[in-house]
């Protein structure tokens, strides 16, 4: 069986297979002969809810450990408590503790598995007003870029404290000219460029740990390895 890479997160993870250029779909293409990329994205979830479903999301410890798990939460935790998405809000100190608990669960179950924490992306507040998912009586964005930045910093701090990899989307995306429309499709979710950034950043984090399509073995012989004069010979002993 091929080893696995799990993508665990909220809607930005759930949508990572949308179209041909989603960051999850791009990882599938990159690892298409070496690893299975397993989607575990849950739209609207925060770290509080994620903690409640860990045993349902991930297989028992008796199975082969995955190569890596991306943990991509924070956009919903950072919803403002007094806005229409307040039920998704998680205080920042609890968010940090929840991330610690998620990392502890994963490393406790699979000590060799690489864990990559991904920070929430920046927020384009004016655009969020055009895409409310519920009645917005106050007429205010449910998220702010400042709050997202605070949660991004908290995410990076947890990664450093736990000794795992991190991807700082909040900073990286804002270095792109006109990032509000270049990287985001609705002020929160990713555009084609935004998906490309996540893919490249995750791939870089994996490569730093020695995990890439170049270093991982393929699961079956490539066509170039099959003897045209005796094709079945290549499959002996598999």
């Amino acid at each position: 069986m091929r080893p696995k890479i799990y993508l665990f997160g909220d809607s930005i993870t759930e949508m990572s297979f949308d179209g041909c250029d989603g960051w999850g779909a791009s990882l599938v293409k990159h690892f298409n002969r070496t690893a299975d990329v397993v989607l575990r994205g849950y739209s609207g979830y925060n770290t509080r809810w994620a903690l409640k479903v860990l045993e349902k999301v991930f297989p028992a410890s008796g199975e082969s450990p995955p190569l890596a798990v991306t943990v991509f939460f924070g956009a919903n935790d950072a919803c403002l408590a007094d806005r229409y998405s307040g039920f998704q809000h998680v205080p920042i100190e609890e968010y940090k503790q929840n991330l610690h608990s998620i990392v502890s669960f994963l490393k406790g179950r699979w000590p060799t598995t690489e864990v990559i924490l991904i920070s929430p992306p920046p927020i384009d507040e004016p655009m969020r007003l055009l895409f409310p998912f519920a009645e917005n009586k106050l007429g205010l964005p449910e998220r702010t870029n400042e709050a997202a930045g605070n949660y991004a910093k908290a995410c990076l701090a947890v990664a450093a404290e736990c000794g795992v990899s991190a991807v700082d989307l909040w900073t990286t995306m804002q270095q792109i000219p006109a990032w509000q429309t270049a990287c985001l499709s609705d002020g929160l979710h990713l555009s084609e460029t935004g998906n490309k950034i996540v893919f490249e950043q995750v791939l870089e984090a994996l490569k730093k740990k020695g995990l890439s399509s170049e270093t991982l073995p393929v699961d079956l012989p490539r066509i170039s390895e099959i003897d045209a004069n005796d094709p079945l010979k290549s499959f002996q002993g598999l």
Side-chain angles (χ1 to χ4, degrees):
M1 298 293 292
R2 295 179 186 178
K4 293 180 172 61
I5 298 172
Y6 280 89
L7 312 182
F8 183 41
D10 54 34
S11 59
I12 304 177
T13 297
E14 183 175 332
M15 296 167 64
S16 68
F17 278 62
D18 289 2
C20 298
D21 298 311
W23 66 274
S26 295
L27 286 171
V28 170
K29 286 186 284 187
H30 181 82
F31 290 102
N32 63 1
R33 290 290 297 273
T34 55
D36 288 332
V37 179
V38 183
L39 179 62
R40 292 293 183 268
Y42 303 91
S43 180
Y45 275 46
N46 55 35
T47 53
R48 183 183 294 165
W49 304 346
L51 272 178
K52 297 293 185 181
V53 300
L54 286 174
E55 293 286 354
K56 295 284 188 180
V57 170
F58 294 103
S61 56
E63 297 189 18
S64 298
L67 294 175
V69 179
T70 62
V71 179
F72 194 173
F73 290 99
N76 297 318
D77 300 67
C79 286
L80 301 184
D82 60 350
R83 308 285 171 89
Y84 72 86
S85 288
F87 72 100
Q88 294 171 286
H89 172 75
V90 173
I92 196 164
E93 288 303 318
E94 181 188 345
Y95 169 70
K96 291 181 67 175
Q97 184 55 54
N98 291 344
L99 283 182
H100 268 284
S101 297
I102 292 170
V103 173
S104 178
F105 171 88
L106 293 170
K107 297 298 282 187
R109 177 161 290 189
W110 302 301
T112 61
T113 295
E114 297 296 337
V115 176
I116 302 172
L117 299 187
I118 306 177
S119 85
I123 299 296
D124 178 13
E125 296 165 33
M127 185 63 75
R128 288 308 303 151
L129 291 174
L130 302 179
F131 292 91
F133 69 85
E135 184 179 5
N136 185 3
K137 294 181 179 180
L138 296 177
L140 297 171
E142 84 286 15
R143 296 168 170 85
T144 65
N145 196 38
E146 180 182 6
N150 290 334
Y151 280 72
K153 291 175 184 176
C155 176
L156 300 181
V158 172
E161 291 163 6
C162 294
V164 299
S165 301
V167 171
D168 182 5
L169 289 187
W170 190 82
T171 300
T172 301
M173 287 186 174
Q174 289 184 87
Q175 295 172 350
I176 305 297
W179 61 267
Q180 295 90 337
T181 53
C183 298
L184 305 174
S185 63
D186 60 0
L188 168 64
H189 299 98
L190 306 180
S191 66
E192 180 178 337
T193 296
N195 273 287
K196 183 179 180 183
I197 290 171
V198 178
F199 165 67
E200 291 175 345
Q201 292 286 305
V202 170
L203 201 62
E204 181 180 353
L206 290 169
K207 284 184 175 180
K208 286 180 178 179
K209 299 299 182 178
L211 302 175
S212 71
S213 60
E214 294 79 21
T215 59
L216 295 172
V218 296
D219 60 348
L220 291 172
R222 297 185 186 276
I223 184 65
S224 60
E225 300 167 340
I226 295 176
D227 186 346
N229 297 315
D230 188 7
L232 294 181
K233 182 180 179 180
S234 299
F235 302 98
Q236 293 176 359
L238 294 179

